[in-house]
Every structure is written in structure tokens, then in C-alpha cells.
Amino acid sequence: MSLTESRFVIAIDGPAASGKSSTARAVAVALGFRQADSGALYRAATAARLRVGGDSADWSEESVLDAARSVTVHPADGVFEAWVDGSAADAELRGEEVTANVSLVARMQSVREWVNEKMRECAQIGAIVVDGRDMGTAVFPDAALKIWLVADPEVRAHRRSIELLGRIPSDDELARETGELTARDARDARQTQPADDAVHVDTTRLSPAEQVARIVDLARDRIQRSGSAPSPDAGGR
Ligand code: DC
């Protein structure tokens, strides 16, 4: 069995805007693995429930789980995409309304179990990089490599602002984004904890390329130690 066909799991966890998904994607490309973002599934369940309507303060756990039945996972070009009602909805998943309500949904235990099951199904298909908050603790405690990705809140807010605004933020914009991120960190704190055996990577002073290279090096080391056969396409997708 080649490495890409194996159940090799790399788990990347960390707080909001620590660059988990883009890093996980780049690491997956470098190794010829697939990537699956658990946050996208929480977002998709939230988007599906928002489409049903009603004030989120009144959402029952059952109604969210019921709406989540319209969420499906699609393997596309090395990444598992979360679709809602039969089509991709990336802008909606990243939008303000979903972001404002997703922490509420992520605290629902039955929704967490639903996401965890979907993530484990993705990992059955072959070697994978998964990212989120509790991939290395609750979902894949036996992952071959666990990364805890952190960066100072101001640096995360700066990166997120550039992504959202397409330019350098003003001092006020940066302060607002830092406040929002810190509030999200507090809302998600319960499920955002590093595994005891996670390698901590602080990206505050690292470029995206440096952080990807560091994780790919760690992964290659683990792959070598696991004795897995190298995949035919690793490094070239
Ligand atoms: O990483 P993100 O911003 O896309 O995550 C969206 C929400 O889902 C956020 O509130 C944290 C939550 N989440 C979680 O509780 N557990 C995960 N494994 C992934 C995300």
C-alpha cells in the first residue's frame, strides 16, 4: 500500500485565524495527501440551519442536526469540500452570518459527533491532513503527527484583516479585528486545547512558506519513522 492510500493522519489544530486551513492545504499538496477542514463542516451545518430561518437563540440541537442532513462532503482536487443542499457554498460558509453563529453550533454535542464521524470517514479514504480545534485530541488521538499552530492575537488579526479587506488595516480596524478574534477564542476555548503530544509551532515570526516547510519536515520525519512507503505523487501535485 502506498503512503497516500494509507490511513496516515496529520492533525493541525489551533485558535481562530492561526492559518490552520491554508497551512493544512499546502502541507497536503506537498505530501500528496488530501485535506479536510472540520471548521468548514461546523460552518456548513450553521449555513444549512440559517437557510431554514428563525432566530439562532431559539435553535434546538435537533433542528441543527436535521438541517445538517443537507451537508455533504465531496473529494475535489485533493481537498474535501463541504457542500450545502448539493452545491459548494464557500462564500456563504466564510460570511459574517455564519461566523457570528458557528460557535453556538460548535458547542452542540450531537453536532460535534456528526462532524467527527464525517472527518473519520474522510480519513478512511487515504492519507490526510485534518485541521480544526480538537483533531489531535478528540477525533484522531492516534494521529501520526499533531501540530498546535499558534500566533499572537495581533498578528492573527493583521493576517485576517488583510484577507478580508485586501489591504493593510488601519489601527482602528486592527483593534476591532483583534477584539473579535479574542472574543471568538474565548467562545471556542473549551474545545480548543492542544494534545499532550502535539508539536507547538508559533507562526508569529514565520512566513507562510516557512511554517509549511517546518510542518512538512516534521511530517517527512514521522513518515520515515513509520516505515510507510513513499507515495508516487508526493511533492508534485
Ligand atoms: O476554524 P473555523 O473558524 O473555520 O471554525 C469555525 C467554528 O467551528 C469555530 O467556532 C470553532 C469551531 N470548531 C470547533 O469547535 N472544532 C473544530 N474541530 C473546528 C472548528
PDB file of all heavy atoms in Angstrom, residues 13 16 20 37-40 42-43 94 102-103 106 112 131-135 184 188 191, ligand 1:
ATOM      1  N   ASP A  13      -4.194  21.683  14.656  1.00  0.00           N
ATOM      2  CA  ASP A  13      -5.187  22.396  15.462  1.00  0.00           C
ATOM      3  C   ASP A  13      -4.632  23.740  15.904  1.00  0.00           C
ATOM      4  O   ASP A  13      -3.423  23.962  15.895  1.00  0.00           O
ATOM      5  CB  ASP A  13      -5.537  21.559  16.715  1.00  0.00           C
ATOM      6  CG  ASP A  13      -6.328  20.310  16.378  1.00  0.00           C
ATOM      7  OD1 ASP A  13      -7.350  20.434  15.682  1.00  0.00           O
ATOM      8  OD2 ASP A  13      -5.917  19.215  16.800  1.00  0.00           O
ATOM      9  N   ALA A  16      -8.551  30.521  16.257  1.00  0.00           N
ATOM     10  CA  ALA A  16      -9.053  31.184  15.047  1.00  0.00           C
ATOM     11  C   ALA A  16      -7.941  31.965  14.351  1.00  0.00           C
ATOM     12  O   ALA A  16      -7.112  32.601  15.007  1.00  0.00           O
ATOM     13  CB  ALA A  16     -10.192  32.134  15.423  1.00  0.00           C
ATOM     14  N   LYS A  20      -4.541  27.665  10.061  1.00  0.00           N
ATOM     15  CA  LYS A  20      -4.613  26.197  10.021  1.00  0.00           C
ATOM     16  C   LYS A  20      -4.972  25.677   8.632  1.00  0.00           C
ATOM     17  O   LYS A  20      -4.292  24.812   8.107  1.00  0.00           O
ATOM     18  CB  LYS A  20      -5.688  25.680  10.989  1.00  0.00           C
ATOM     19  CG  LYS A  20      -5.462  26.002  12.431  1.00  0.00           C
ATOM     20  CD  LYS A  20      -6.573  25.447  13.289  1.00  0.00           C
ATOM     21  CE  LYS A  20      -7.940  26.027  12.985  1.00  0.00           C
ATOM     22  NZ  LYS A  20      -8.163  27.393  13.443  1.00  0.00           N
ATOM     23  N   ASP A  37     -11.099  20.081   6.363  1.00  0.00           N
ATOM     24  CA  ASP A  37     -11.188  21.162   7.360  1.00  0.00           C
ATOM     25  C   ASP A  37     -12.469  20.953   8.181  1.00  0.00           C
ATOM     26  O   ASP A  37     -13.569  21.110   7.655  1.00  0.00           O
ATOM     27  CB  ASP A  37     -11.215  22.486   6.581  1.00  0.00           C
ATOM     28  CG  ASP A  37     -11.554  23.680   7.453  1.00  0.00           C
ATOM     29  OD1 ASP A  37     -11.588  23.538   8.691  1.00  0.00           O
ATOM     30  OD2 ASP A  37     -11.788  24.765   6.885  1.00  0.00           O
ATOM     31  N   SER A  38     -12.313  20.600   9.460  1.00  0.00           N
ATOM     32  CA  SER A  38     -13.500  20.340  10.285  1.00  0.00           C
ATOM     33  C   SER A  38     -14.295  21.621  10.534  1.00  0.00           C
ATOM     34  O   SER A  38     -15.522  21.585  10.657  1.00  0.00           O
ATOM     35  CB  SER A  38     -13.100  19.695  11.613  1.00  0.00           C
ATOM     36  OG  SER A  38     -12.157  20.493  12.291  1.00  0.00           O
ATOM     37  N   GLY A  39     -13.608  22.769  10.579  1.00  0.00           N
ATOM     38  CA  GLY A  39     -14.299  24.047  10.765  1.00  0.00           C
ATOM     39  C   GLY A  39     -15.307  24.286   9.645  1.00  0.00           C
ATOM     40  O   GLY A  39     -16.395  24.830   9.870  1.00  0.00           O
ATOM     41  N   ALA A  40     -14.969  23.842   8.422  1.00  0.00           N
ATOM     42  CA  ALA A  40     -15.880  24.031   7.288  1.00  0.00           C
ATOM     43  C   ALA A  40     -17.171  23.240   7.501  1.00  0.00           C
ATOM     44  O   ALA A  40     -18.248  23.665   7.072  1.00  0.00           O
ATOM     45  CB  ALA A  40     -15.199  23.598   5.990  1.00  0.00           C
ATOM     46  N   TYR A  42     -18.534  22.563  10.533  1.00  0.00           N
ATOM     47  CA  TYR A  42     -19.339  23.332  11.502  1.00  0.00           C
ATOM     48  C   TYR A  42     -19.991  24.523  10.801  1.00  0.00           C
ATOM     49  O   TYR A  42     -21.147  24.870  11.063  1.00  0.00           O
ATOM     50  CB  TYR A  42     -18.467  23.812  12.671  1.00  0.00           C
ATOM     51  CG  TYR A  42     -18.091  22.700  13.613  1.00  0.00           C
ATOM     52  CD1 TYR A  42     -16.820  22.148  13.601  1.00  0.00           C
ATOM     53  CD2 TYR A  42     -19.031  22.164  14.499  1.00  0.00           C
ATOM     54  CE1 TYR A  42     -16.479  21.101  14.453  1.00  0.00           C
ATOM     55  CE2 TYR A  42     -18.698  21.120  15.346  1.00  0.00           C
ATOM     56  CZ  TYR A  42     -17.422  20.590  15.316  1.00  0.00           C
ATOM     57  OH  TYR A  42     -17.108  19.543  16.152  1.00  0.00           O
ATOM     58  N   ARG A  43     -19.247  25.135   9.909  1.00  0.00           N
ATOM     59  CA  ARG A  43     -19.790  26.281   9.166  1.00  0.00           C
ATOM     60  C   ARG A  43     -20.928  25.837   8.239  1.00  0.00           C
ATOM     61  O   ARG A  43     -21.947  26.530   8.100  1.00  0.00           O
ATOM     62  CB  ARG A  43     -18.672  26.967   8.372  1.00  0.00           C
ATOM     63  CG  ARG A  43     -17.712  27.737   9.261  1.00  0.00           C
ATOM     64  CD  ARG A  43     -16.520  28.309   8.502  1.00  0.00           C
ATOM     65  NE  ARG A  43     -15.686  29.089   9.410  1.00  0.00           N
ATOM     66  CZ  ARG A  43     -15.878  30.363   9.708  1.00  0.00           C
ATOM     67  NH1 ARG A  43     -16.857  31.036   9.105  1.00  0.00           N
ATOM     68  NH2 ARG A  43     -15.095  30.988  10.559  1.00  0.00           N
ATOM     69  N   ARG A  94     -17.913  31.306   4.741  1.00  0.00           N
ATOM     70  CA  ARG A  94     -16.949  32.277   5.314  1.00  0.00           C
ATOM     71  C   ARG A  94     -17.625  33.596   5.692  1.00  0.00           C
ATOM     72  O   ARG A  94     -16.974  34.496   6.240  1.00  0.00           O
ATOM     73  CB  ARG A  94     -15.819  32.585   4.319  1.00  0.00           C
ATOM     74  CG  ARG A  94     -15.018  31.407   3.873  1.00  0.00           C
ATOM     75  CD  ARG A  94     -13.989  30.968   4.902  1.00  0.00           C
ATOM     76  NE  ARG A  94     -13.967  29.514   4.971  1.00  0.00           N
ATOM     77  CZ  ARG A  94     -13.671  28.784   6.036  1.00  0.00           C
ATOM     78  NH1 ARG A  94     -13.338  29.371   7.160  1.00  0.00           N
ATOM     79  NH2 ARG A  94     -13.693  27.477   6.009  1.00  0.00           N
ATOM     80  N   VAL A 102     -21.576  30.326  14.318  1.00  0.00           N
ATOM     81  CA  VAL A 102     -20.982  28.975  14.282  1.00  0.00           C
ATOM     82  C   VAL A 102     -20.505  28.484  15.655  1.00  0.00           C
ATOM     83  O   VAL A 102     -20.572  27.274  15.935  1.00  0.00           O
ATOM     84  CB  VAL A 102     -19.859  28.900  13.204  1.00  0.00           C
ATOM     85  CG1 VAL A 102     -18.677  29.787  13.530  1.00  0.00           C
ATOM     86  CG2 VAL A 102     -19.391  27.472  13.000  1.00  0.00           C
ATOM     87  N   SER A 103     -20.084  29.385  16.547  1.00  0.00           N
ATOM     88  CA  SER A 103     -19.624  28.922  17.870  1.00  0.00           C
ATOM     89  C   SER A 103     -20.757  28.253  18.626  1.00  0.00           C
ATOM     90  O   SER A 103     -20.558  27.249  19.319  1.00  0.00           O
ATOM     91  CB  SER A 103     -19.094  30.086  18.713  1.00  0.00           C
ATOM     92  OG  SER A 103     -17.937  30.609  18.149  1.00  0.00           O
ATOM     93  N   ALA A 106     -21.127  24.885  17.245  1.00  0.00           N
ATOM     94  CA  ALA A 106     -19.972  24.031  17.592  1.00  0.00           C
ATOM     95  C   ALA A 106     -20.011  23.574  19.052  1.00  0.00           C
ATOM     96  O   ALA A 106     -19.284  22.666  19.424  1.00  0.00           O
ATOM     97  CB  ALA A 106     -18.670  24.770  17.295  1.00  0.00           C
ATOM     98  N   ARG A 112     -21.137  17.957  17.187  1.00  0.00           N
ATOM     99  CA  ARG A 112     -19.711  17.597  17.259  1.00  0.00           C
ATOM    100  C   ARG A 112     -19.526  16.128  16.848  1.00  0.00           C
ATOM    101  O   ARG A 112     -18.613  15.793  16.109  1.00  0.00           O
ATOM    102  CB  ARG A 112     -19.128  17.831  18.660  1.00  0.00           C
ATOM    103  CG  ARG A 112     -19.175  19.290  19.123  1.00  0.00           C
ATOM    104  CD  ARG A 112     -18.159  19.601  20.213  1.00  0.00           C
ATOM    105  NE  ARG A 112     -16.803  19.619  19.694  1.00  0.00           N
ATOM    106  CZ  ARG A 112     -16.254  20.620  18.996  1.00  0.00           C
ATOM    107  NH1 ARG A 112     -16.939  21.715  18.739  1.00  0.00           N
ATOM    108  NH2 ARG A 112     -15.017  20.534  18.552  1.00  0.00           N
ATOM    109  N   ASP A 131      -7.714  19.574   9.864  1.00  0.00           N
ATOM    110  CA  ASP A 131      -7.456  20.745  10.697  1.00  0.00           C
ATOM    111  C   ASP A 131      -8.713  21.183  11.424  1.00  0.00           C
ATOM    112  O   ASP A 131      -9.829  20.910  10.991  1.00  0.00           O
ATOM    113  CB  ASP A 131      -6.834  21.891   9.894  1.00  0.00           C
ATOM    114  CG  ASP A 131      -7.729  22.437   8.814  1.00  0.00           C
ATOM    115  OD1 ASP A 131      -7.852  21.810   7.758  1.00  0.00           O
ATOM    116  OD2 ASP A 131      -8.331  23.509   9.038  1.00  0.00           O
ATOM    117  N   GLY A 132      -8.495  21.830  12.566  1.00  0.00           N
ATOM    118  CA  GLY A 132      -9.618  22.285  13.390  1.00  0.00           C
ATOM    119  C   GLY A 132      -9.166  22.670  14.780  1.00  0.00           C
ATOM    120  O   GLY A 132      -8.167  23.382  14.939  1.00  0.00           O
ATOM    121  N   ARG A 133      -9.926  22.217  15.774  1.00  0.00           N
ATOM    122  CA  ARG A 133      -9.613  22.566  17.164  1.00  0.00           C
ATOM    123  C   ARG A 133      -9.251  21.349  17.994  1.00  0.00           C
ATOM    124  O   ARG A 133      -8.467  21.419  18.922  1.00  0.00           O
ATOM    125  CB  ARG A 133     -10.820  23.250  17.833  1.00  0.00           C
ATOM    126  CG  ARG A 133     -11.327  24.494  17.144  1.00  0.00           C
ATOM    127  CD  ARG A 133     -10.280  25.584  17.289  1.00  0.00           C
ATOM    128  NE  ARG A 133     -10.850  26.904  17.163  1.00  0.00           N
ATOM    129  CZ  ARG A 133     -11.187  27.479  16.020  1.00  0.00           C
ATOM    130  NH1 ARG A 133     -11.020  26.852  14.896  1.00  0.00           N
ATOM    131  NH2 ARG A 133     -11.673  28.711  16.002  1.00  0.00           N
ATOM    132  N   ASP A 134      -9.936  20.222  17.667  1.00  0.00           N
ATOM    133  CA  ASP A 134      -9.795  19.033  18.514  1.00  0.00           C
ATOM    134  C   ASP A 134      -9.449  17.803  17.689  1.00  0.00           C
ATOM    135  O   ASP A 134      -9.766  16.686  18.084  1.00  0.00           O
ATOM    136  CB  ASP A 134     -11.096  18.793  19.286  1.00  0.00           C
ATOM    137  CG  ASP A 134     -12.298  18.628  18.356  1.00  0.00           C
ATOM    138  OD1 ASP A 134     -12.159  18.876  17.137  1.00  0.00           O
ATOM    139  OD2 ASP A 134     -13.368  18.235  18.854  1.00  0.00           O
ATOM    140  N   MET A 135      -8.811  18.014  16.532  1.00  0.00           N
ATOM    141  CA  MET A 135      -8.486  16.868  15.680  1.00  0.00           C
ATOM    142  C   MET A 135      -7.489  15.930  16.372  1.00  0.00           C
ATOM    143  O   MET A 135      -7.626  14.718  16.341  1.00  0.00           O
ATOM    144  CB  MET A 135      -7.905  17.344  14.339  1.00  0.00           C
ATOM    145  CG  MET A 135      -8.882  18.131  13.484  1.00  0.00           C
ATOM    146  SD  MET A 135     -10.322  17.164  12.982  1.00  0.00           S
ATOM    147  CE  MET A 135     -11.533  17.692  14.141  1.00  0.00           C
ATOM    148  N   ARG A 184     -13.777  35.386  19.982  1.00  0.00           N
ATOM    149  CA  ARG A 184     -14.001  34.053  19.399  1.00  0.00           C
ATOM    150  C   ARG A 184     -13.152  33.012  20.113  1.00  0.00           C
ATOM    151  O   ARG A 184     -13.612  31.905  20.386  1.00  0.00           O
ATOM    152  CB  ARG A 184     -13.650  34.044  17.905  1.00  0.00           C
ATOM    153  CG  ARG A 184     -14.739  34.610  17.036  1.00  0.00           C
ATOM    154  CD  ARG A 184     -14.420  34.425  15.569  1.00  0.00           C
ATOM    155  NE  ARG A 184     -14.397  33.033  15.173  1.00  0.00           N
ATOM    156  CZ  ARG A 184     -13.807  32.588  14.065  1.00  0.00           C
ATOM    157  NH1 ARG A 184     -13.166  33.412  13.259  1.00  0.00           N
ATOM    158  NH2 ARG A 184     -13.852  31.318  13.760  1.00  0.00           N
ATOM    159  N   ASP A 188     -14.679  29.654  21.939  1.00  0.00           N
ATOM    160  CA  ASP A 188     -14.312  28.308  21.475  1.00  0.00           C
ATOM    161  C   ASP A 188     -13.294  27.634  22.386  1.00  0.00           C
ATOM    162  O   ASP A 188     -12.785  26.557  22.064  1.00  0.00           O
ATOM    163  CB  ASP A 188     -13.721  28.389  20.053  1.00  0.00           C
ATOM    164  CG  ASP A 188     -14.760  28.844  19.028  1.00  0.00           C
ATOM    165  OD1 ASP A 188     -15.929  28.454  19.174  1.00  0.00           O
ATOM    166  OD2 ASP A 188     -14.396  29.581  18.098  1.00  0.00           O
ATOM    167  N   GLN A 191     -13.146  23.658  23.477  1.00  0.00           N
ATOM    168  CA  GLN A 191     -12.708  22.588  22.563  1.00  0.00           C
ATOM    169  C   GLN A 191     -11.381  22.917  21.878  1.00  0.00           C
ATOM    170  O   GLN A 191     -10.955  22.191  20.989  1.00  0.00           O
ATOM    171  CB  GLN A 191     -13.788  22.279  21.514  1.00  0.00           C
ATOM    172  CG  GLN A 191     -14.061  23.373  20.519  1.00  0.00           C
ATOM    173  CD  GLN A 191     -15.230  24.245  20.943  1.00  0.00           C
ATOM    174  OE1 GLN A 191     -15.578  24.293  22.108  1.00  0.00           O
ATOM    175  NE2 GLN A 191     -15.832  24.931  20.002  1.00  0.00           N
TER     176      GLN A 191
HETATM  177  O1   DC B   1     -11.681  27.356  12.171  1.00  0.00           O
HETATM  178  P1   DC B   1     -13.021  27.989  11.834  1.00  0.00           P
HETATM  179  O2   DC B   1     -13.090  29.451  12.133  1.00  0.00           O
HETATM  180  O3   DC B   1     -13.476  27.684  10.442  1.00  0.00           O
HETATM  181  O4   DC B   1     -14.049  27.265  12.810  1.00  0.00           O
HETATM  182  C1   DC B   1     -15.424  27.561  12.790  1.00  0.00           C
HETATM  183  C2   DC B   1     -16.033  27.287  14.137  1.00  0.00           C
HETATM  184  O5   DC B   1     -16.067  25.901  14.417  1.00  0.00           O
HETATM  185  C3   DC B   1     -15.373  27.957  15.343  1.00  0.00           C
HETATM  186  O6   DC B   1     -16.405  28.436  16.183  1.00  0.00           O
HETATM  187  C4   DC B   1     -14.637  26.846  16.032  1.00  0.00           C
HETATM  188  C5   DC B   1     -15.441  25.637  15.667  1.00  0.00           C
HETATM  189  N1   DC B   1     -14.646  24.425  15.529  1.00  0.00           N
HETATM  190  C6   DC B   1     -14.677  23.536  16.561  1.00  0.00           C
HETATM  191  O7   DC B   1     -15.313  23.779  17.590  1.00  0.00           O
HETATM  192  N2   DC B   1     -13.986  22.363  16.437  1.00  0.00           N
HETATM  193  C7   DC B   1     -13.291  22.097  15.322  1.00  0.00           C
HETATM  194  N3   DC B   1     -12.648  20.933  15.206  1.00  0.00           N
HETATM  195  C8   DC B   1     -13.250  23.025  14.258  1.00  0.00           C
HETATM  196  C9   DC B   1     -13.938  24.205  14.394  1.00  0.00           C
END
